[in-house]
Amino acid sequence: MQDEEWMIAALALAEEAQAVGEVPVGAVLVADGQIIGRGSNRPITASDPTAHAEILALQAAATARQNYRLPDATLYVTLEPCTMCFGAMIHARIKRLVFAALEPKAGAVVSHPVTAAVSFNHTISVTHGVLAAHAGSLLSDFFTSRREASRHEAN
């Protein structure tokens, strides 16, 4: 039940990303029952390919904690992380990752697990599927509206 509460907070951040034209992905980093970092996708608005929700949440938490290691933290994210984001989680030594929807093209945790090819010096406990339908709907609605807008512009 607690996983769902934190995922709801991440979904609210995904909706914020969508409102500014970004892919709707949100992330919160939680430790000791509190959010210590938040992020919503911003690569387009920030002109920064690394401005993924997970990276921004990790950066905010590291700044708040004044430590790049976050070993007691759980990251809640609405979409399966990519290779870059998963690598950052390993470097931050987060304890646990909870994500909603699978990312069949670029997901690096379950869909295309990077851990299958590489041994890392840290292991992260993973739970997936928490509020996946809600996160999946946000994403599919976003991309449907983008495709429709592209069709209207082409005509």
Side-chain angles (χ1 to χ4, degrees):
M1 191 63 164
Q2 201 169 33
D3 284 350
E4 289 184 2
E5 291 173 26
W6 296 122
M7 190 60 73
I8 289 168
L11 285 163
L13 290 165
E15 290 169 359
E16 286 180 20
Q18 183 174 17
V20 297
E22 296 279 0
V23 175
V25 179
V28 295
L29 202 65
V30 175
D32 302 321
Q34 294 182 32
I35 294 175
I36 60 170
R38 291 176 169 80
S40 60
N41 258 14
R42 290 292 187 261
I44 298 166
T45 54
S47 298
D48 180 355
T50 69
H52 291 196
E54 302 94 310
I55 299 296
L56 298 176
L58 288 166
Q59 289 173 339
T63 298
R65 289 277 174 101
Q66 291 294 292
N67 193 340
Y68 74 108
R69 300 279 198 221
L70 304 161
D72 59 341
T74 298
L75 182 68
Y76 293 86
V77 63
T78 59
L79 184 64
E80 180 180 6
C82 69
T83 304
M84 173 186 68
C85 293
F86 189 68
M89 290 174 223
I90 289 170
H91 286 290
R93 305 289 195 270
I94 68 164
K95 182 177 185 177
R96 186 169 174 242
L97 166 65
V98 179
F99 69 89
L102 290 170
E103 206 323 3
K105 291 182 181 176
V109 181
V110 174
S111 298
H112 305 282
V114 295
T115 55
V118 180
S119 291
F120 293 103
N121 59 346
H122 177 70
T123 303
I124 299 170
S125 172
V126 176
T127 301
H128 66 90
V130 176
L131 299 181
H134 186 161
S137 291
L138 268 177
L139 289 157
S140 62
D141 291 350
F142 174 80
F143 287 112
T144 297
S145 69
R146 293 283 290 262
R147 282 190 297 276
E148 289 174 3
S150 292
R151 277 189 223 125
H152 289 293
E153 288 175 6
N155 292 330

